[in-house]
Structures are given as C-alpha cells and as structure tokens.
DNA sequence: ATGAAAGCGCTAACAT
DNA sequence: ATGTTAGCGCTTTCAT
C-alpha cells in the first residue's frame, strides 16, 4: 500500500545507478576500506572477510571505477601511444606489441595518430595528458620541432628522437651497415641506395651507416632521396633501372621495405628480374616482406623488444634511463638478393 | 649553463603539484564555478571575468583534469575501439579514421586488440569499461559467442555482428555481387571463389552474394574455403591454378584483398599472367591493392563512412539506431581483370 | 585486522 | 551573472 516509487530526491541522479564500492561494502557487511584492500590484494585482510567481499563483488557484478581510482591517485592505468601513421605496417606492428604487453600489465592504451603533423602531435599530447596516463610512448613526427610541453608523465621516444626524452630505437646505422656488407659479400660493387627524406634524422642515420660500410671497401653508392613509401620506391627505382645494363646498379638497398617493394614493382615493369638482374635489400622486415615475390631480403627491426622496453619504462616497471637504448638489427636473407654474375 | 627547459627526468616525484581549477580561480579572483563555466564555454559568463580567467589559465598553464571531470559526470571523453588485429590493413584504416573523427569531436580513443580471441575480447571490454568511455566500437572476433556484458555505454558493432548491438557494415553480399557481375560482363564463365572461413558470417555473406549473382546467369563457381590472409590465398590459389589450361578457372574472386594478393603470387610462381591467363578480383580495397603489379581490381569498402557513422553513434552525436546500417560497396576496376579471350 | 573519514579536481544544483 | 557547496567513487592515513 505504500508508495513504492516515491520521487527520487537525491541530488545528482542524472545517470543510471552503477554498483560502487559502498554497495559492495554494505552487501558484505564490511567497511569500504576493507573492500578497497581486497581489490588491492592487500595481505592484511582476514580470510573470512576477504571471502565475503569477493562473494559480494561477484554477486553484484561490481566493476571498480578506474576513473575514481585515477582521480584519487592522480594517475590512471593507461599509457598514451602517439604514432604518425597506423597504416604504416611498422607502426601497426609496434602498436600491436605495445598494446599486448601493456594490457598484460593491466594498462590500457590511449591511441593518438598525428599524421606526421607537428601541430596535431602537440594537440594530441595535450589532450592525452588530461587523462593522467602513467606514461607516454611517442613516435614523433619526422620534421617537427617537437615543442616542449612538460608534465610529470614518464615519457620515451621510439624510433625517432624527441626533445630531450630517452630514445628507444633500433641502431639504424648499424642495421644499414649489415645491408651494405651483405651486398659487398655477394660481390656487388655498382650499388645504389634509395634513402628517405634528408631532413629526417632516421633517414640520415641509415644512409650514413650504409655509406660508411661501403666506404670501408672503397665503394661509393649512387644515392637517391625520397620518402619512405611505396610510391617513392617505385619512382626512384625506375630512375635507377631504366638505363643500359652497364649503366645501372647491380644492387639497390632502400631505407624501408615499402620502398623496396615499390622498387621491385618498377623492376617488374621494366622486365628486370629480381634477383637475377638486380639485387634488392629492404629495411624493417614488415610482414609483407616475406609474402611478396620474390621474398624480400631485409634488415629486421626488433619491434617486439622495442615495444617491451618502451612499455616497461613508461609503466614504471623499469626506472627511466638517462641514456638512449639502441637495439640491434639483424639481417634476414631471403630471395631478393643474389651473387653478382 | 644548463638547458632552460630540458624535460624533467627525475625519478618519480612523490607528489608534483599540479595546477587545478582552484588555483586558477584564486589567480583570477573568481570562484571555481566561474572557471568551470569558462571551460565549458558557458555563455552566461561576463566578458571581463571570462578574460581574466582565460588569462589565468594561460599564465598557470592549467590543464583541466579529464579524470575529475569524468568522475563527476560518470563518463569520460573517450571511446573504446576493439579490433581483432591492427596489422590487418583494413582494420588499420578503420582505426585511423575512427581516431581522426573522434579526436575532431574532442574524444580520445582507447585501443584494444583481441587477436581474434573471444576470451581476450571479453577481458578487454571489461577493462575498457572501467574508464567510463562514452561509447564502444567493437569489431568482434570471428568465431566468438560474444557473451553478454552489460553497461550503459553506447555500443555499436562494426563489420561483424555482435550480440544484439546495432551493426555498421558494408553490404557484404551486394559487394560480392558486384564482383560477380563484373566477371560475368567480361565474358567469364569458368569462375572460382576463394572464401573465408565458413563459420564466419561475413565470409558466408560474401560467398552467398557472389554465388547468387552468378546463379542469376546460370553459372556455378568452384568454391574453396580458407582464411582471409595472404597465405590462404596463395595455397588455395595454387590448388586452383596448378592444372591444365582447360581445367582451371579463367577468373577467380576472393573474399579479401590479401587472399587476392596471395593468389597473384601463386599465379606468378606458376608462370601464369594476370590478367591474360587469369582474372582476379579482391575485396576491401586496402592501400596495397593499387600498389602491386598488376593493380588489383577489387570491391571497395567505404571505410571512412563506416568510421564516421560508428563514431557519431557512439559519441552521442547521432541517436543510437535500432536497426543495422548497411553501407554500399563499390567496384574499383584496375588491371587484374580482363575480358576472356 | 578493520573502520572512519578526509580528500583527489571537477560539475551542477542551488543561492544570491 | 556569479558564488557556494555537495558529491562522483575511490585510496589512504589515522584511529581503534
């Protein structure tokens, strides 16, 4: 007979009621403090209570609010990942491993894509910081001045240098050296190199590593500069290959697998056989490298290792280093390179 | 003598004081309420105060806490994006557009990768919900039972059906029909189809759409089933093509561009020319489709449109529909298909 | 070992 | 138009 649905007088009742820690405490007849301790796996909780709480949590299907937790601790269990381009297979691979490793440690990843635009990068980072992430992994834009923003968030740069933050990256120069010595070992002397944009430090490091390794044997490569994408590889490849047999290189190394694939396409169009007429080495070892015809010889970046270090440093698992960490690249020999006749 | 604003690399500051709304209020000699209103672009604030506040915000380099805001509103400006595999070019493209559109509306994206594992999917979603996202965009695992979890978060499924949630997707069947009619129009009659896994609804829809369109002309294709990846395309392609000329199909359609690329590789290995000896049509129009040799004729998914709808629905820009939304695919004719001799 | 209670930094209802 | 203030749901002292 009583009014079952008296008007709701509570103040902020705009949203659907969600089970909270108080409900759990009430259900288990304990204090919220105890529930919190159980959630934190705090040892000091007695077995009996711990059990009652666990039970209540299950019964009520309680999902602790990461937001409230984040506010209280002024830090959430998230890391920001800032990437120039997720459709680039190398970055996709990086994102995949970062997500997997982070999530294993209980962290979510906030993804930002900058499209290689320094202004967007700055905005996105500002925006990410509002969520109080524990750490920030940044692959900076290629040409950005990378303006300073400050925060007490553990930050690392990956692949490309970023302001004064520690850098986790493959040793680009040494990797390119591997490619150079491989071609040398196969007997090539007329060698060309398709580089990335000269303003990009990564590009310069790879190119210099390549050039230096060749110089050690007295060989000087012909160098063409472009972007890291397929299209550049194809265009520059055509310039290199559309010549009389005696004029064109017998081997070409590129600054990216994508360039190498574009280059192989150009070779194909010109009826040149890889590796019989021309040897090709890429850089990165993206998944596609072993799926094209012929399978691409390339320099492998230890992506998973890079991701693991970046996550460890930004989630506080490892203390932040002062120094950069350069990881080793390795040569993967497949079918796009052969000994010179 | 030292760098003026080198990023701070000190270990973990115990409690770095962060500027909050109260500091801003004090600095501007107004109440926190007024600052909050300025932040919210509330019209009711007088010009003079608004200016003082804006000034104080800049001076103090104030960055409002999204976490506190989220707690108060029990909803953060984030949307969760759950996808099976970010290295799949189609999903990478989807993620790129989702991120771009969401960020334009002031939303961050929380990325989860399920690796096609339904258990991980469930865990990840549970984990995402702790951050009180405004919405959830889910590309479910292919074979998952997709058990119910409930929350009051606006949720849409993309590409594949998910529990009872509205689906945003290309019209798979109609798209496959486009491919079928294209091959028919080129005069092909001995046609094969490389499908995806039969348990996957997407796979069935594409296959049925293809088969039905052919049936309308009295043609029955040979069908092989595999996965959506390169490797499957190559393996099944070899089975189809390694036969006497009279025995093998003159045209093959696939359920994905990746299969098509694998298939073209197999053709190449068997010294068969595409499109002279065999015509190939893919599905998706991934970026690589127009970069390989020959350029791939394929069915384009309107990825950006899909992303736009998904974001609009999950950020509350559009009201959630009851019904699914099927968007139109289109045929992109390039160089991998030709008229039968 | 457990409970009580004070905030974390905001928003929005209410008061002026 | 502006100020005041009560929470949002947790964690973490501080008592007991």
């Amino acid at each position: 007979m009583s009014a079952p649905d008296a008007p709701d007088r509570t103040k902020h009742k705009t949203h659907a009621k969600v089970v909270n820690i108080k409900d759990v405490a009430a259900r288990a007849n304990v204090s919220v403090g105890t529930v919190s301790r159980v959630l934190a796996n705090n040892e000091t909780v007695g077995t009996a209570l711990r059990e009652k709480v666990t039970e209540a949590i299950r019964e009520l299907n309680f999902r602790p609010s990461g937001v409230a937790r984040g506010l209280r601790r002024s830090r959430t269990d998230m890391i920001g990942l800032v990437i120039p381009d997720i459709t680039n297979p190398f970055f996709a691979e990086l994102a995949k491993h970062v997500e997997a490793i982070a999530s294993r440690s209980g962290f979510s990843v906030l993804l930002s894509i900058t499209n290689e635009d320094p202004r967007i990068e700055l905005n996105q980072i500002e925006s990410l910081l509002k969520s109080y992430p524990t750490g920030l992994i940044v692959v900076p834009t290629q040409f950005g001045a990378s303006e300073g923003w400050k925060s007490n968030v553990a930050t690392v740069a990956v692949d490309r240098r970023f302001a004064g933050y520690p850098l986790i990256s493959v040793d680009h120069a040494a990797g390119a050296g591997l490619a150079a010595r491989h071609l040398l070992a196969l007997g090539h002397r007329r060698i060309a190199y398709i580089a990335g944009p000269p303003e990009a430090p990564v590009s310069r490091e790879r190119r210099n590593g390549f050039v230096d390794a060749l110089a050690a044997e007295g060989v000087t490569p012909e160098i063409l500069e472009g972007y890291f994408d397929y299209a550049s590889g194809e265009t520059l490849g055509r310039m290199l290959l559309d010549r009389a047999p005696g004029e064109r290189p017998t081997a070409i190394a590129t600054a990216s697998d994508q360039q190498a694939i574009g280059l192989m396409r150009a070779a194909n169009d010109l009826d040149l056989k890889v590796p019989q007429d021309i040897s090709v080495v890429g850089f990165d070892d993206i998944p596609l490298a072993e799926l094209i015809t012929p399978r691409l010889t390339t320099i492998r970046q230890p992506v998973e290792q890079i991701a693991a270090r970046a996550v460890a440093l930004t989630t506080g698992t490892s203390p932040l280093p002062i120094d950069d960490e350069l990881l080793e690249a390795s040569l993967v020999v497949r079918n796009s390179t052969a000994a010179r006749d």
Side-chain angles (χ1 to χ4, degrees), chain A residues 57-88:
Chain A
I57 288 176
R58 235 213 6 268
E59 288 175 353
L60 297 178
N61 191 24
F62 170 60
R63 197 184 289 132
S65 161
V67 179
R69 181 163 200 264
L71 176 58
R72 180 54 228 247
R73 314 195 332 159
S74 48
R75 171 163 55 85
T76 59
D77 287 344
M78 309 196 286
I79 62 177
L81 176 62
V82 182
I83 305 196
D85 174 15
I86 192 70
T87 66
N88 176 317

Side-chain angles (χ1 to χ4, degrees), chain A residues 2-64:
Chain A
S2 68
D5 36 32
D8 194 338
R9 295 230 180 85
T10 46
K11 240 181 161 182
H12 308 289
K13 198 44 185 227
T14 359
H15 300 287
K17 168 68 182 158
V18 178
V19 178
N20 64 23
I21 200 173
K22 239 167 132 180
D23 300 327
V24 175
R27 172 74 161 230
N29 274 310
V30 299
S31 71
V32 295
T34 299
V35 177
S36 178
R37 290 181 192 107
V38 170
L39 289 174
N41 253 310
N42 190 316
E43 293 297 334
T44 70
V45 181
T47 324
L49 284 198
R50 154 165 272 116
E51 214 142 274
K52 277 208 296 183
V53 170
T54 313
E55 172 78 2
I57 288 176
R58 235 213 6 268
E59 288 175 353
L60 297 178
N61 191 24
F62 170 60
R63 197 184 289 132

Side-chain angles (χ1 to χ4, degrees), chain A residues 249-317:
Chain A
T250 64
I252 305 179
T254 65
S256 79
D257 283 353
Q258 277 142 306
Q259 290 173 329
I261 292 167
L263 161 63
M264 280 167 52
R265 181 188 166 130
N268 192 298
D269 285 353
L270 294 167
D271 277 321
L272 258 27
K273 288 276 179 218
V274 175
Q276 295 85 340
D277 302 317
I278 178 84
S279 281
V280 176
V281 202
F283 200 111
D284 285 343
D285 196 24
I286 63 177
L288 189 60
E290 63 171 344
L291 293 162
I292 53 170
T293 309
R295 294 179 160 87
L296 182 65
T297 294
T298 190
I299 303 301
R300 172 181 297 159
Q301 294 215 42
V303 196
E304 183 164 8
Q305 209 184 329
I306 293 174
R309 285 303 292 150
V311 172
L313 293 174
T314 50
T315 58
T317 307

Side-chain angles (χ1 to χ4, degrees), chain A residues 25-321:
Chain A
R27 172 74 161 230
N29 274 310
V30 299
S31 71
V32 295
T34 299
V35 177
S36 178
R37 290 181 192 107
V38 170
L39 289 174
N41 253 310
N42 190 316
E43 293 297 334
T44 70
V45 181
T47 324
L49 284 198
R50 154 165 272 116
E51 214 142 274
K52 277 208 296 183
V53 170
T54 313
E55 172 78 2
I57 288 176
R58 235 213 6 268
E59 288 175 353
L60 297 178
N61 191 24
F62 170 60
R63 197 184 289 132
S65 161
V67 179
R69 181 163 200 264
L71 176 58
R72 180 54 228 247
R73 314 195 332 159
S74 48
R75 171 163 55 85
T76 59
D77 287 344
M78 309 196 286
I79 62 177
L81 176 62
V82 182
I83 305 196
D85 174 15
I86 192 70
T87 66
N88 176 317
F90 172 69
F91 295 136
E93 196 85 353
L94 180 71
K96 166 183 157 174
H97 288 119
V98 164
E99 198 278 343
I101 298 166
S103 115
R104 244 179 272 141
S105 331
F107 285 81
S108 296
V109 359
L110 267 173
L111 177 70
S112 260
I113 300 172
T114 63
N115 207 19
E116 297 283 9
D117 181 335
R119 274 193 329 241
I120 296 186
E121 175 177 73
L122 190 59
N123 282 340
Q124 295 284 57
I125 290 178
E126 278 294 340
S127 172
L128 286 192
L129 289 177
K130 290 185 183 166
S131 299
Y132 286 21
T134 295
L136 216 45
I137 299 175
V138 183
V139 179
T141 57
Q142 282 186 78
F143 316 120
S146 66
E147 278 315 309
W149 40 274
K150 54 189 171 195
S151 78
N152 48 348
V153 168
T155 302
V156 299
V158 165
D159 198 48
R160 310 168 178 174
R161 196 168 296 283
F162 184 49
Y165 294 99
L167 172 70
I168 316 290
S169 168
V170 74
D171 186 335
H172 299 288
L178 253 30
R181 282 189 294 277
H182 173 60
L183 295 178
L184 249 15
L186 289 173
H188 294 280
R189 290 297 178 273
R190 200 142 19 85
I191 297 176
Y193 184 73
I194 294 184
E199 317 86 83
V202 167
S203 173
R204 285 200 299 268
E205 286 174 38
R206 291 184 187 175
R207 192 195 54 201
N208 292 345
F210 190 79
V211 170
D212 292 350
L214 287 188
E217 295 294 315
V219 175
T220 307
E222 174 176 1
I223 297 181
L224 260 42
E225 287 167 335
Y227 295 97
F228 286 111
D229 59 12
Y230 298 95
S232 254
E234 185 176 354
T235 309
L236 300 180
R238 191 173 303 271
M239 292 177 54
L240 250 13
L241 296 176
D242 199 3
R243 308 175 180 173
E247 298 292 307
R248 66 172 178 250
T250 64
I252 305 179
T254 65
S256 79
D257 283 353
Q258 277 142 306
Q259 290 173 329
I261 292 167
L263 161 63
M264 280 167 52
R265 181 188 166 130
N268 192 298
D269 285 353
L270 294 167
D271 277 321
L272 258 27
K273 288 276 179 218
V274 175
Q276 295 85 340
D277 302 317
I278 178 84
S279 281
V280 176
V281 202
F283 200 111
D284 285 343
D285 196 24
I286 63 177
L288 189 60
E290 63 171 344
L291 293 162
I292 53 170
T293 309
R295 294 179 160 87
L296 182 65
T297 294
T298 190
I299 303 301
R300 172 181 297 159
Q301 294 215 42
V303 196
E304 183 164 8
Q305 209 184 329
I306 293 174
R309 285 303 292 150
V311 172
L313 293 174
T314 50
T315 58
T317 307
S318 300
L320 263 194

